[in-house]
Amino acid sequence: MRDIATVTMTNEILERYDLKAKKKFGQNFLIDANIVDKIAKNACRSDMVCIEIGPGIGSLTQKLALYAKKVYAHEIDEQLLPVLNDIFKDEPKIEIIPGDFLKIDFKDMPYYDEALVVCANLPYYITTPILFKLFESDLQIDNITVMVQKEVADRFRATSGSSDYNALSVIVQYLYDLKYLMTVPKQVFNPRPQVDSAVITFKQKERIPLIDQSAFFALVKNAFRARRKTLYNNLKETYDPSLILKAMANSGIKDNARAQELDLMTFVNLYEEMTDV
C-alpha cells in the first residue's frame, strides 16, 4: 500500500469515501510521510502492542503497524470506521476499535494484559482527559508518544516560576520523563490548523514513594485552582487551614507563596507534611 500520509493519497481517500475533516473531532490529517514514520519509529517497539487514539484515515496507523507487535486503533467517528476497516482489511496487525476512548473500561480491551506503548495525534479539546485516563490506569505502558498543540507541549515541560507551569506540569513530571521529539509545522496537515504542533514522549520513570497517588494529584490540582490566589487560599477551600499552615511551614513554603512557585519536590514535601502532621 502507498503511504497514506501524502497529499495525493489523502485526497484520494477523502474523495473515494466522500469524507471531510470534522471540526468537532479535531480532525487534521497528516500529509508528510517522513514525519509520520519518525513518530511511529520513536513510539513503537517490536515486542510491544501499540494503542492509537483517533487514527483518522490511518496515516499514522499504517506506520505504527510497521514497528509494533500489533496496533489497536480507537476511533470515535462512526463514518470513519468502515473506511479504516476497508483500508486495512488485509492488515492482520491492525484492529479498529469503535467508540469513545474516554468511556471504555480497559479491563474489557484485548490489550489489557499486554506490554504497551501509546501513540496518538490528540486534538486540543480532549488532550488532558485522554492523558489522565492513561496516567491513572493500571495498564503496562512503557511510553506514551503524542502530537499536541505546541503550547500544550510547552506546558508539560514547564518548570516552576514560568507562565506555562500548572497542575498538569507537576503531575506529568511526577509520572514521566519527557522527551521533546519535534515541532510539526501546520503546513503538513490537511486541513491546515491555525497553530504548529509538537510531538512529545512520556517515558515512565520510577515513582516517588507516596501513600496515595490520587490524593497527591488532588492536592496539586487544588493548589492551582485559581492562579491569582495564594497557595494557602486555594488549599483552604478543601483542607483544614491550620493543617495547611503547619505543613507549609514545615516544608519551608512562605505564607504568601503561589502554587506556580513550587517545584515537584516541594509539592511532594507539602503532601507528606499534610498527611503526617
Side-chain angles (χ1 to χ4, degrees):
M1 185 193 300
R2 289 180 293 158
D3 285 335
I4 295 172
T6 63
V7 174
T8 303
M9 191 64 170
T10 295
N11 287 336
E12 185 179 309
I13 289 172
L14 295 178
E15 289 172 14
R16 185 193 313 161
Y17 297 100
D18 193 24
L19 296 172
K20 289 183 180 178
K22 294 180 181 175
K23 233 178 188 180
K24 70 175 181 176
F25 293 135
Q27 290 173 348
N28 300 95
F29 307 125
L30 271 164
I31 50 174
D32 188 313
N34 289 329
I35 288 177
V36 174
D37 189 72
K38 187 175 180 180
I39 295 169
K41 191 179 292 184
N42 179 81
C44 293
R45 287 179 47 178
S46 60
D47 59 339
M48 290 188 176
V49 168
C50 180
I51 303 172
E52 185 187 12
I53 303 144
I57 59 172
S59 57
L60 179 57
T61 319
Q62 180 187 40
K63 295 292 186 180
L64 292 173
L66 295 178
Y67 302 109
K69 180 180 174 183
K70 188 175 177 69
V71 179
Y72 291 96
H74 290 266
E75 180 54 61
I76 192 173
D77 186 351
E78 292 183 0
Q79 189 180 6
L80 287 178
L81 295 173
V83 175
L84 288 164
N85 283 316
D86 187 38
I87 290 173
F88 297 119
K89 63 179 181 290
D90 297 321
E91 179 48 80
K93 288 176 67 177
I94 296 173
E95 183 173 331
I96 309 302
I97 300 178
D100 186 344
F101 180 79
L102 290 174
K103 294 179 180 178
I104 65 168
D105 185 336
F106 287 128
K107 289 184 174 63
D108 297 331
M109 293 296 107
Y111 52 73
Y112 179 66
D113 291 320
E114 298 275 5
L116 301 168
V117 296
V118 177
C119 192
N121 177 9
L122 297 177
Y124 175 73
Y125 79 100
I126 204 91
T127 296
T128 299
I130 284 179
L131 285 175
F132 268 97
K133 184 177 179 71
L134 292 167
F135 293 162
E136 295 170 351
S137 76
D138 60 352
L139 295 174
Q140 303 171 54
I141 301 174
D142 179 78
N143 69 78
I144 300 170
T145 299
V146 291
M147 183 185 299
V148 295
Q149 283 191 0
K150 189 175 182 301
E151 64 183 62
V152 177
D154 290 339
R155 286 192 207 116
F156 290 141
R157 300 190 300 156
T159 55
S160 57
S162 73
S163 59
D164 289 325
Y165 190 64
N166 61 13
L168 192 59
S169 312
V170 178
I171 292 170
V172 165
Q173 290 167 32
Y174 163 72
L175 293 169
Y176 296 94
D177 288 318
L178 272 67
K179 176 184 175 184
Y180 190 97
L181 185 62
M182 65 176 135
T183 300
V184 183
K186 54 191 173 185
Q187 291 86 354
V188 300
F189 291 93
N190 176 20
R192 183 180 298 185
Q194 295 182 339
V195 296
D196 291 339
S197 297
V199 180
I200 52 176
T201 295
F202 303 86
K203 177 74 173 177
Q204 197 165 83
K205 66 181 182 182
E206 188 174 343
R207 305 290 167 83
I208 302 165
L210 291 172
I211 295 170
D212 185 338
Q213 182 173 290
S214 62
F216 174 63
F217 290 172
L219 174 71
V220 172
K221 291 175 186 177
N222 280 307
F224 284 92
R225 186 194 300 269
R227 197 168 183 84
R228 292 179 180 273
K229 288 186 177 182
T230 64
L231 174 70
Y232 170 75
N233 284 332
N234 276 332
L235 292 179
K236 73 176 184 180
E237 296 183 31
T238 306
Y239 306 95
D240 181 335
S242 61
L243 177 65
I244 299 165
L245 289 172
K246 188 173 181 181
M248 287 175 64
N250 290 344
S251 303
I253 303 169
K254 296 177 181 177
D255 291 349
N256 63 347
R258 286 179 165 75
Q260 54 265 38
E261 299 171 29
L262 279 60
D263 62 15
L264 170 60
M265 288 312 301
T266 305
F267 270 112
V268 171
N269 292 337
L270 178 63
Y271 169 82
E272 290 175 339
E273 290 292 336
M274 293 273 289
T275 55
D276 290 342
V277 293

